[in-house]
């Protein structure tokens, strides 16, 4: 299995929220996967953050997945994990002051990577990796404008057939996989466990 990019000693990869109260330093400097996502959950999570004073949502957010290996944390007291609904799988950590989304955990990330949204937190590292696929096209809303790049894998939903097609993308299978090299620092999932209890928003699906 291809290993993810190792530590670049020249640079500290940092993620911060917009108000700079929350900061992670990462032990890896390059995301291993990017996707575009049309799903209802991403849309609702971004809209909800915007309603709380966060950044305005985009129709087709770009997601990045980076090794879940965090060396330093600032502003833990301003971080709060949220889920959209009782049966939710994704846990999103927001800054409670600026409502940036710092990161997202999902069982499918296997604690190997965590996800963040381009433009909904600030980063100082290379985000030039191209999206490998656009996912959950079934959730696209009529009347909204979606700019979908040519020559990109299009995943309508996650039926078993489409799931196989999705996991056949090397960047996907190399990222959404079990940990092979243990994190030197804390994983994003371990940070969530240190935070106050997850708040469930109970938003109705729309
Ligand atoms: Zn903030
Ligand atoms: Zn999504």
């Amino acid at each position: 299995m291809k290993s993810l990019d190792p530590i670049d000693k020249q640079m500290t990869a940092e993620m911060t929220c917009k108000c700079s109260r929350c900061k992670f330093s990462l032990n890896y400097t390059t995301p291993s996967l990017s996707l575009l996502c049309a799903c209802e959950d991403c849309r609702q999570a971004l809209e909800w953050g915007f309603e709380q004073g966060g950044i305005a949502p985009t129709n087709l957010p770009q997601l990045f997945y980076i090794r879940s290996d965090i060396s330093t944390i600032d502003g833990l007291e301003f971080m709060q994990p949220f889920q959209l609904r009782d049966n939710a799988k994704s846990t999103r950590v927001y800054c409670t002051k600026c409502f940036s989304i710092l990161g997202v955990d999902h069982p499918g990330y296997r604690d190997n990577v965590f996800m963040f949204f381009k433009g909904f937190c600030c980063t100082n590292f290379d985000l030039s990796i191209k999206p490998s696929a656009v996912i959950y096209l079934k959730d696209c809303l009529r009347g909204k404008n979606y700019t979908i790049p040519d020559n990109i894998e299009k995943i309508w939903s996650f039926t078993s057939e489409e799931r196989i097609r999705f996991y056949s993308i090397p960047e996907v299978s190399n990222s959404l996989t079990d940990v092979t090299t243990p994190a030197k620092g804390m994983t994003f999932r371990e940070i969530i466990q240190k935070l106050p209890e997850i708040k469930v928003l109970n938003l109705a699906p729309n």
Side-chain angles (χ1 to χ4, degrees):
M1 190 178 303
K2 183 178 161 283
S3 67
L4 303 177
D5 286 331
I7 299 167
D8 177 349
K9 293 270 189 285
Q10 301 304 306
M11 166 186 162
T12 304
E14 288 178 352
M15 302 179 62
T16 60
C17 64
K18 218 177 169 191
C19 77
S20 309
R21 287 180 173 90
C22 305
K23 184 164 97 180
F24 294 144
S25 303
L26 309 175
N27 282 331
Y28 288 75
T29 59
T30 314
S32 53
L33 169 67
S34 177
L35 299 171
L36 298 170
C37 190
C39 87
E40 178 185 59
D41 286 7
C42 285
R43 182 166 67 234
Q44 282 196 312
L46 295 176
E47 279 172 358
W48 181 82
F50 181 49
E51 285 163 13
Q52 314 310 309
I55 297 152
T58 49
N59 287 346
L60 198 58
Q62 187 172 358
L63 321 180
F64 286 97
Y65 298 77
I66 194 161
R67 201 51 226 284
S68 194
D69 189 344
I70 296 162
S71 55
T72 66
I73 309 156
D74 290 314
L76 209 57
E77 67 273 32
F78 300 110
M79 296 178 197
Q80 172 65 47
F82 289 93
Q83 291 181 345
L84 294 179
R85 287 171 272 280
D86 264 338
N87 55 356
K89 289 188 171 167
S90 287
T91 304
R92 299 176 184 80
V93 174
Y94 291 74
C95 168
T96 54
K97 294 292 177 188
C98 70
F99 283 87
S100 300
I101 301 179
L102 289 154
V104 182
D105 184 34
H106 182 283
Y109 304 164
R110 313 227 202 152
D111 213 16
N112 184 50
V113 292
F114 71 101
M115 186 270 269
F116 63 92
F117 292 95
K118 184 180 187 178
F120 293 84
C121 60
C122 309
T123 53
N124 71 343
F125 47 90
D126 185 9
L127 299 184
S128 63
I129 178 177
K130 295 271 174 291
S132 295
V134 52
I135 60 172
Y136 283 108
L137 283 168
K138 72 172 180 63
D139 285 0
C140 282
L141 294 179
R142 260 170 223 266
K144 282 208 177 193
N145 187 27
Y146 295 89
T147 308
I148 297 169
D150 294 332
N151 306 319
I152 191 172
E153 197 74 48
K154 295 175 184 70
I155 307 287
W156 186 257
S157 65
F158 278 90
T159 58
S160 50
E161 225 169 78
E162 293 218 276
R163 189 176 294 274
I164 290 166
R165 198 155 57 82
F166 180 63
Y167 278 93
S168 73
I169 300 169
E171 290 83 0
V172 171
S173 56
N174 283 325
S175 300
L176 309 185
T177 186
D178 287 328
V179 174
T180 49
T181 313
K184 289 196 174 74
M186 284 183 81
T187 67
F188 188 71
R189 198 170 285 175
E190 286 168 344
I191 291 172
I192 290 173
Q193 284 156 6
K194 280 185 166 288
L195 295 175
E197 200 180 342
I198 296 169
K199 285 188 184 165
V200 179
L201 296 170
N202 285 317
L203 300 183
N206 66 16

